[in-house]
Amino acid sequence: RLNGLQTYNDAARILQSQLNSIKENRGTGSTKGSTKFTKPARDAAKIREHKQQEQKLKILQIVEKTWKLSQPFEGTLGDIYLRSRKIFLKDEPNIKFISKLYNKELGQTVPALLFAVREKHDGPLIAIHRIYLNQKGEKLDVSVPKMALGSIFSGGAWFGTPDKILSIAEGIENTLCTRCLGYKFCVSTINATNYSNLIIPTHVETV
């Protein structure tokens, strides 16, 4: 009735005509004089997951490249920062320094301390934690001077050598302080929400 039709046969003819028009437009790519139809994507969840995996891989490549470009922290601005926090350490392979690292907030490169994040102390790199610094070795005056690059889920920043006793803390500096107090094996969860995700090594007897 909306189209002034009085019988089902008339409606069927109109419908068939519209379907034929759609088929023709699909073949020619033309949308002139017809409604544009969008075909829903198949397996949308798989496509979304694939894109997420590509993004994770891209970030991991940046993480690995940044770590390779960095240097031992001893004698650098990073060392000055740690000493200002009463942290006196050396020979910690999971701490490094980089003289030029891009900071999005400032839109320029600045020095930074880097901490390797791994699921276990000798495992592959899964992320890095950054502390941006100024040219005096002080924490950079920006809204977010500390941030992770990559997923830290189930990982941590490990320090020292494997021992039956493991000291766990949230922040990097707190963890390094426990290392200075004599704990042989320490790990930082980076943030409090990651405590329950941390994988405790099987050789650890006391936490």
Side-chain angles (χ1 to χ4, degrees):
R1 292 179 180 178
L2 290 175
N3 291 283
L5 304 176
Q6 299 298 322
T7 67
Y8 287 111
N9 288 336
D10 290 339
R13 284 194 295 271
I14 293 294
L15 178 60
Q16 185 61 53
S17 175
Q18 291 174 343
L19 289 172
N20 290 338
S21 177
I22 292 172
K23 289 179 180 180
E24 291 174 2
N25 289 331
R26 279 183 177 178
T28 62
S30 172
T31 58
K32 184 178 180 180
S34 64
T35 303
K36 183 177 181 181
F37 292 86
T38 302
K39 185 178 180 180
R42 294 181 180 179
D43 301 323
K46 290 183 178 179
I47 293 172
R48 184 167 59 252
E49 183 180 356
H50 178 69
K51 289 183 178 179
Q52 290 173 345
Q53 290 299 325
E54 285 186 333
Q55 181 64 15
K56 286 182 180 179
L57 179 59
K58 183 178 179 181
I59 292 174
L60 184 57
Q61 289 173 341
I62 296 173
V63 165
E64 292 174 342
K65 182 179 180 180
T66 302
W67 190 251
K68 287 179 181 178
L69 291 173
S70 60
Q71 66 184 83
F73 74 96
E74 292 92 340
T76 68
L77 292 174
D79 200 3
I80 292 175
Y81 171 77
L82 292 178
R83 288 174 178 273
S84 73
R85 301 296 301 268
K86 307 304 178 184
I87 297 169
F88 304 96
L89 292 171
K90 61 180 181 178
D91 300 325
E92 289 287 351
N94 282 332
I95 307 176
K96 285 192 172 184
F97 172 78
I98 189 166
S99 59
K100 293 182 179 181
L101 186 65
Y102 184 75
N103 180 272
K104 187 176 181 180
E105 186 174 341
L106 290 183
Q108 65 185 53
T109 58
V110 295
L113 259 176
L114 304 179
F115 303 89
V117 179
R118 312 176 192 274
E119 288 190 340
K120 52 183 181 178
H121 73 280
D122 58 352
L125 199 65
I126 62 171
I128 53 175
H129 187 60
R130 300 159 290 178
I131 299 180
Y132 289 104
L133 306 172
N134 62 24
Q135 295 298 332
K136 294 181 180 180
E138 302 166 334
K139 189 165 57 179
L140 193 65
D141 186 17
V142 290
S143 59
V144 186
K146 303 178 183 179
M147 61 179 69
L149 178 61
S151 174
I152 65 170
F153 184 85
S154 76
W158 302 82
F159 308 107
T161 55
D163 189 65
K164 293 181 179 180
I165 299 175
L166 175 64
S167 172
I168 304 176
E170 176 188 350
I172 290 284
E173 291 93 338
N174 288 342
T175 306
L176 293 176
C177 284
T178 64
R179 180 82 178 94
C180 290
L181 289 173
Y183 283 90
K184 295 180 180 179
F185 196 31
C186 308
V187 63
S188 164
T189 62
I190 312 299
N191 64 48
T193 60
N194 203 31
Y195 269 105
S196 60
N197 304 321
L198 187 69
I199 301 173
I200 306 298
T202 55
H203 68 268
V204 171
E205 297 177 358
T206 305
V207 174

